Amino acid sequence: MPNIISASNPVYSNAQNTAINLDVLFEGFSEPIPFTATPHDTESYGIVLYNNALTGQYGTVEAYISPTQPTSTGTKTV
């Protein structure tokens, strides 16, 4: 299991709140990398990150915000 140095910016990654996006700094990396943690992750550290995020160890898990669709301007080219 890779050593987790820190994790931050937890945000639910779906409307069902079953996955959490985090910025995770693993030992051996110079900068945090995006990581999606789930309660049934195939890697044990994914489960650890998910559970720690739920308990607030990385701050409050922010609500999921669904992506918005681009809106049409209503103009047509002829």
Side-chain angles (χ1 to χ4, degrees):
M1 177 165 117
N3 286 330
I4 301 164
I5 304 302
S6 65
S8 59
N9 304 320
V11 178
Y12 285 109
S13 65
N14 59 30
Q16 297 78 25
N17 293 347
T18 58
I20 300 172
N21 290 335
L22 300 147
D23 295 325
V24 181
L25 179 60
F26 291 102
E27 184 175 33
F29 288 79
S30 60
E31 294 186 24
I33 59 170
F35 188 89
T36 302
T38 66
H40 305 291
D41 203 298
T42 57
E43 297 293 342
S44 60
Y45 58 87
I47 297 168
V48 167
L49 285 163
Y50 181 85
N51 289 329
N52 287 350
L54 282 182
T55 62
Q57 290 188 33
Y58 312 128
T60 301
V61 181
E62 298 296 323
Y64 170 74
I65 299 174
S66 65
T68 57
Q69 296 293 330
T71 57
S72 174
T73 61
T75 58
K76 295 181 181 179
T77 56
V78 182

